[in-house]
């Protein structure tokens, strides 16, 4: 495992393109929040698969297709590699590892859980985040793992639309798991682990930003142990998807926060292709 490319942004994020033993490549992203505007201020985001089978319309990784699962050692190795780079650059110690890079971590469940335990043992990190499209049976299994292992893990579920019909236009997985089923699983995770599940909502101009969408979100989320986290679509050049301005995101947030616990997501590393799969897409990938 070695770093092929490292790109640093003005907001203290470093995006790494990492080559594996079979010459496949994955991405990792180190983020240093000097102003402490987010929960964890020195984190690394790692990949769980080479490519991804979920096929989300907005995602650069999904457009590259699925190649293979990463081993537990390859997942944990990304964190250790980035930690060495962090130390050399003089950044503060890592306080969390985020599983939100390339791939769907719950589709590589056993290796991801083994990697979490390995990272905790070798780096002394006990705080994790995991982002998923929402696979209900695996979310329930994840809750069992968190309770039995004592790991502190924050669940992030990608929703991005309040109804099945609209979400299906972005996320093919909706054919298998409806929005209500996914949110119920996330709420069940939160109750079982004594946490608050984060529901990610990526705002796309003219698609999921209307008053009717806000009403749908209220009906879906109100009264549940979840927090809606609003962000702007990270432009991947997909036809028909438009990134909103910062003010549009702020206006949407202000409309919904009275009824639902909400926040605005801070994007790191936009200038260095920080979005999932973007750096790999811009560099030659091995044949699959």
């Amino acid at each position: 495992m070695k770093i092929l490319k490292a790109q640093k942004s003005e907001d203290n994020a470093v995006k790494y393109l990492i080559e594996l033993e079979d010459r496949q490549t994955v991405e990792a992203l180190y983020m240093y929040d000097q102003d402490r505007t987010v929960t964890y201020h020195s984190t690394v985001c790692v990949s769980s698969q080479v490519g991804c089978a979920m096929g989300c319309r907005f995602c650069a990784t999904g457009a590259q297709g699925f190649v293979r699962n990463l081993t537990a050692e390859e997942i944990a190795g990304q964190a250790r590699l980035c930690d060495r780079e962090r130390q050399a650059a003089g950044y503060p110690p890592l306080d969390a590892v985020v599983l939100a890079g390339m791939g769907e971590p719950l589709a590589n469940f056993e290796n991801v859980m083994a990697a979490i335990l390995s990272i905790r043992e070798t780096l002394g990190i006990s705080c994790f985040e995991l982002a998923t499209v929402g696979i209900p049976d695996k979310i329930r299994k994840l809750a069992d793992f968190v309770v039995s292992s004592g790991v502190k893990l924050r669940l992030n579920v990608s929703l991005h639309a309040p109804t099945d019909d609209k979400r299906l236009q972005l996320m093919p997985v909706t054919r298998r798991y409806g929005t209500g089923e996914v949110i119920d699983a996330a709420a069940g995770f939160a109750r079982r682990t004594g946490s608050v599940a984060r529901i990610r909502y990526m705002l796309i101009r003219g698609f999921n930003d209307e008053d009717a969408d806000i009403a749908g979100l209220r009906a879906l989320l109100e009264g549940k142990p979840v927090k809606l986290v609003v962000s702007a679509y990270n432009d991947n050049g997909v036809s028909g998807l438009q990134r909103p301005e910062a003010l549009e995101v702020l206006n949407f947030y202000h409309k919904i926060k009275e009824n639902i616990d909400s926040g605005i997501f801070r994007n790191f590393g936009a200038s260095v292709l920080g979005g999932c799969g973007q750096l790999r897409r811009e560099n030659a990938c091995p044949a699959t």
Side-chain angles (χ1 to χ4, degrees):
M1 180 181 288
K2 65 180 180 181
I3 295 172
L4 291 182
K5 180 174 284 191
Q7 297 183 170
K8 183 178 178 181
S9 69
E10 67 281 352
D11 59 357
N12 293 310
V14 185
K15 186 68 175 282
Y16 297 101
L17 184 67
I18 298 171
E19 185 178 73
L20 307 173
E21 292 299 320
D22 61 358
R23 300 192 63 202
Q24 293 291 343
T25 55
V26 293
E27 298 175 351
L29 177 69
Y30 172 75
M31 296 163 284
Y32 173 43
D33 178 25
Q34 189 171 7
D35 298 326
R36 295 176 180 259
T37 59
V38 294
T39 306
Y40 305 116
H41 73 285
S42 181
T43 63
V44 60
C45 177
V46 300
S47 296
S48 58
Q49 297 177 316
V50 180
C52 184
M54 296 298 108
C56 297
R57 181 182 171 198
F58 50 81
C59 179
T61 300
Q64 297 169 30
F66 175 72
V67 179
R68 66 172 176 86
N69 285 329
L70 296 183
T71 66
E73 175 56 31
E74 287 172 330
I75 298 167
Q78 295 170 66
R80 291 194 290 268
L81 187 62
C82 291
D83 188 53
R84 289 195 293 271
E85 293 291 311
R86 171 206 62 78
Q87 291 182 54
Y91 287 122
L94 292 177
D95 49 18
V97 171
V98 182
L99 293 135
M102 294 172 57
E104 166 53 57
L106 295 187
N108 187 17
F109 189 90
E110 298 302 332
N111 287 342
V112 168
M113 298 308 112
I116 287 173
L117 295 178
S118 174
I119 291 167
R120 181 173 68 173
E121 180 178 351
T122 58
L123 295 181
I125 295 169
S126 58
C127 296
F128 296 84
E129 290 198 34
L130 184 146
T132 175
V133 298
I135 305 174
D137 60 320
K138 295 295 180 65
I139 291 175
R140 290 186 284 270
K141 191 175 179 181
L142 180 64
D144 292 339
F145 169 81
V146 169
V147 171
S148 63
S149 68
V151 164
K152 182 180 178 182
L153 187 144
R154 187 159 66 185
L155 177 68
N156 287 258
V157 174
S158 295
L159 181 64
H160 307 320
T163 65
D164 288 352
D165 287 346
K166 189 167 281 192
R167 189 172 188 252
L168 184 57
Q169 296 178 52
L170 298 175
M171 304 176 70
V173 72
T174 310
R175 291 191 181 92
R176 294 186 61 188
Y177 309 114
T179 53
E181 184 183 2
V182 170
I183 295 303
D184 285 347
F189 175 93
R191 295 186 186 100
R192 178 95 199 279
T193 61
S195 63
V196 175
R198 294 196 163 198
I199 308 301
R200 295 293 304 277
Y201 196 84
M202 180 181 61
L203 215 60
I204 300 169
R205 178 183 290 162
F207 177 75
N208 61 356
D209 58 351
E210 306 294 334
D211 288 345
D213 298 304
I214 291 175
L217 287 170
R218 287 173 176 162
L220 188 64
L221 303 179
E222 203 166 3
K224 294 183 173 66
V226 301
K227 179 175 182 175
L228 184 73
V229 181
V230 182
S231 64
Y233 161 59
N234 195 353
D235 192 357
N236 279 316
V238 178
S239 176
L241 301 186
Q242 293 186 36
R243 179 181 175 88
E245 298 295 332
L247 184 59
E248 294 174 83
V249 176
L250 188 62
N251 288 339
F252 186 91
Y253 162 72
H254 281 302
K255 286 182 180 180
I256 203 165
K257 71 183 179 79
E258 299 302 321
N259 298 89
I260 301 171
D261 183 19
S262 304
I264 296 176
F265 180 76
R266 178 180 171 185
N267 289 303
F268 283 87
S271 66
V272 291
L273 303 174
C276 175
Q278 291 181 330
L279 183 58
R280 185 176 189 264
R281 180 186 60 189
E282 296 301 312
N283 290 264
C285 300
T288 61

